[in-house]
Amino acid sequence: MSDTTHTVSVEGALARLAAVIESRKVANGGDPEQSYVARLLHKGPDTFLKKIGEEATEVVMAAKDADHGGDKGKILYEVADLWFHTMIALSHYGLSPAEVVAELERREGTSGLEEKALRKAQERAAQEAVAHKAP
């Protein structure tokens, strides 16, 4: 499979999952009694954000285990859970996986160190602007 075919497949899978998540919103007919996604969305951000934190921790633990001879497949399983719960958050906030991909593409070819330095400079400038407006 070529990189292009693989990319289209990944983006297609993410788009399909995003559509399912959207369909599970209560406003779209999702039933919190029948759907895990509907239940998480119905309970609100505190619930699904907590799940994201739990899943991120599980990714770290699986990676640490793999470093010591554990099954690397557990990393895939936990990352899938993390992505899934993160996609629920994206849906809640009206965002999509395509927008995440677009942001990653925007960053492509940019040094991570340069990107981080630019964000810090922008944050400092914003803080200074607020400080100058304060009475």
Side-chain angles (χ1 to χ4, degrees):
M1 183 183 301
S2 73
D3 286 345
T4 303
T5 303
H6 187 67
T7 300
V8 170
S9 172
V10 169
E11 289 177 10
L14 293 174
R16 287 189 304 275
L17 179 55
V20 169
I21 291 169
E22 283 296 313
S23 75
R24 298 297 197 270
K25 287 182 171 180
V26 174
N28 295 332
D31 181 357
E33 298 297 320
Q34 301 293 319
S35 165
Y36 175 71
V37 171
R39 186 176 312 136
L40 286 177
L41 288 167
H42 180 70
K43 288 183 176 182
D46 286 347
T47 301
F48 60 75
L49 295 174
K50 180 180 176 186
K51 283 300 294 179
I52 291 170
E54 290 171 6
E55 298 302 342
T57 299
E58 290 174 9
V59 169
V60 170
M61 291 172 17
K64 289 291 196 177
D65 287 346
D67 284 341
H68 297 284
D71 180 7
K72 291 180 185 178
K74 288 184 180 179
I75 299 171
L76 293 174
Y77 180 86
E78 298 302 345
V79 168
D81 283 351
L82 177 60
W83 284 16
F84 173 76
H85 288 90
T86 301
M87 288 179 65
I88 292 171
L90 287 172
S91 175
H92 174 79
Y93 293 107
L95 302 168
S96 72
E99 291 172 281
V100 175
V101 170
E103 175 60 16
L104 291 170
E105 288 174 338
R106 183 191 69 76
R107 296 179 187 186
E108 189 174 354
T110 302
S111 159
L113 296 175
E114 290 173 10
E115 176 78 16
K116 186 174 181 178
L118 177 60
R119 279 196 309 264
K120 283 187 177 187
Q122 290 170 335
E123 288 170 9
R124 275 195 305 272
Q127 289 171 351
E128 289 173 5
V130 169
H132 290 303
K133 289 182 181 178

